[in-house]
Amino acid sequence: REGYELLISPPKIVTKPGEDGTTVLEPFEDVVVDVDSEYSGIIVSALTGDRKGTLIEMNEALDGKTRLRFEVPTRGLLGFHSEIATATRGTAVVNHIFLEDREHVGLLGDGLEKGKLICSEPGVATTYALSSLAARGILFVEPGDKVYAGMIVGEHAK
């Protein structure tokens, strides 16, 4: 509209000094997630790892749903909704509300966790198969080692 100005910037969490003047306080939120039970592990992993959340309560319902309750720093929720919508195929319902200001928990994860090289078939690792994987990252197995489907055989460089 004419006469108004709009400024868009990345979201920032408002912190405040603690009572002693040396600590920094940041907002924490009470987060409740209702999700299909098959995706509950994804939610727990996403909120308790790099996002520094704490799982407070986990309840399973008879209809195949799980209710998870966390206490998470507000900055840990930035980008969470879109990540979880994709990971759970849109089945997660996330609700959160301000809980209280608490002492700053430090740096959150940088999101640069490296990928894993995972074996797709059971058997014995061959030199031919490992040579093509060696260019992608660090290998944990050697030719001749027995492997199973789903086994982590290396760490991807990216």
Side-chain angles (χ1 to χ4, degrees), residues 1 11 13 39-40 52 56 60 72 88 119 153:
R1 300 185 133 233
I13 302 302
Y39 298 118
S40 62
K52 305 266 179 126
I56 302 300
E60 295 226 11
V72 184
T88 64
C119 181
V153 296

Side-chain angles (χ1 to χ4, degrees), residues 22-150:
T22 60
T23 60
V24 176
L25 301 177
E26 68 176 330
F28 268 71
E29 305 216 8
D30 185 28
V31 180
V32 177
V33 182
D34 292 315
V35 66
D36 291 341
S37 295
E38 66 185 282
Y39 298 118
S40 62
I42 294 170
I43 303 290
V44 171
S45 177
L47 283 175
T48 59
D50 290 343
R51 297 177 186 275
K52 305 266 179 126
T54 305
L55 178 63
I56 302 300
E57 189 178 341
M58 180 175 183
N59 296 316
E60 295 226 11
L62 295 175
D63 61 351
K65 297 278 189 185
T66 301
R67 174 167 282 182
L68 304 161
R69 194 170 138 247
F70 299 88
E71 291 179 0
V72 184
T74 299
R75 45 190 183 110
L77 294 177
L78 298 177
F80 174 71
H81 292 280
S82 60
E83 178 184 322
I84 291 308
T86 302
T88 64
R89 300 177 187 213
T91 63
V93 177
V94 181
N95 297 296
H96 56 94
I97 189 166
F98 174 75
L99 185 61
E100 64 184 352
D101 287 320
R102 293 186 186 164
E103 192 169 328
H104 194 273
V105 294
L107 293 176
L108 298 182
D110 57 9
L112 298 178
E113 182 179 317
K114 295 184 178 180
K116 292 136 189 89
L117 299 173
I118 299 174
C119 181
S120 61
E121 298 291 328
V124 176
T126 63
T127 305
Y128 177 76
L130 295 178
S131 65
S132 64
L133 289 176
R136 297 176 188 238
I138 301 167
L139 298 177
F140 304 147
V141 295
E142 297 177 354
D145 288 350
K146 289 186 177 181
V147 295
Y148 56 88

